[in-house]
Structures are given as C-alpha cells and as structure tokens.
Amino acid sequence: VQLQASGGGLVQAGGSLRLSCAASGLTFNTYTVGWFRQAPGKEREFVAAISWSGGSTNRADSVKGRFTISRDNARNTVYLQINNLKPEDTAVYYCAARKYGSVYTLEYDNRGQGTQVTVSS
C-alpha cells in the first residue's frame, strides 16, 4: 500500500489549498482515508476522514467550516480542500488508510508521506 500526499505549499493567511492523497496497491474503494497534521513540537492532530464509499465524513471541530474532504474512487484519490487558511494551520499534512475503518477512528494501518503547508500572516 502506498499513499502519497501532495498539494502543499506556502500561502498567505486567507488563501486556499487543495491537498491530494493518491493511493496505490490497495482496493481503494474499501478503505476509509483520514488526514492528519503535525506541527513542529506538537502532537499529531486528526483533521478529517472519509469513508470508503464517500458517504460518511468526519472533521475535527477546529477545521469545520474551512476544510472539506472528498474522494474520487475512479482516480484512487482523496482530496482535502482548505479555505481561509490560518497561520495555525501550518503543519505537515499526511493521509492514512484503513480498510473499512470508521470515520471516527484514530487508528490507521497505512500512512503515507506528508506534504508541508505553511501559512504566512
């Protein structure tokens, strides 16, 4: 199983980014995918998750209203749309997958490489 996050970058506060998580080596439409982030010196933080069918999602309270998770099973890709970026969103964002996992789980079997998001004030 391989998961590759991309789409990060340096943006000004108030800007937007769309992160992508491309998966391979798995039957993608049987895996729940979650996004996490980790800032320097801080604990890993759950951001959002989407079920294998896309019919169920979960987002952390801190990102509701600004972050949207979606998936395209035909492309084996999950997206995280981030709007109104804030400096406190600065972190490495990475995706993880769990076969038939709950969107409320924090335990994932597979984790990919992250992508850096840096928000300037």
Side-chain angles (χ1 to χ4, degrees):
V1 175
Q2 289 191 327
L3 301 166
Q4 181 63 57
S6 62
L10 173 63
V11 296
Q12 289 188 332
S16 298
L17 283 173
R18 188 176 79 158
L19 307 184
S20 298
C21 172
S24 61
L26 73 170
T27 305
F28 187 66
N29 62 5
T30 66
Y31 280 77
T32 289
V33 175
W35 282 97
F36 293 81
R37 65 186 181 184
Q38 190 163 19
K42 293 188 176 181
E43 297 287 321
R44 182 189 76 164
E45 179 185 13
F46 168 80
V47 174
I50 188 165
S51 64
W52 58 92
S53 67
S56 181
T57 63
N58 180 33
R59 291 172 294 175
D61 288 342
S62 60
V63 305
K64 284 181 179 177
R66 298 190 299 119
F67 288 30
T68 303
I69 189 169
S70 61
R71 69 189 293 158
D72 184 340
N73 283 347
R75 297 179 183 272
N76 282 14
T77 302
V78 168
Y79 304 99
L80 186 69
Q81 178 69 39
I82 310 175
N83 297 326
N84 190 22
L85 278 156
K86 302 177 180 181
E88 52 263 42
D89 295 321
T90 295
V92 174
Y93 287 70
Y94 63 93
C95 53
R98 179 166 182 165
K99 191 174 179 69
Y100 294 129
S102 165
V103 295
Y104 300 103
T105 187
L106 299 180
E107 301 295 327
Y108 284 79
D109 305 311
N110 305 282
R111 168 183 162 173
Q113 297 293 322
T115 185
Q116 176 72 47
V117 172
T118 302
V119 184
S120 62
S121 57

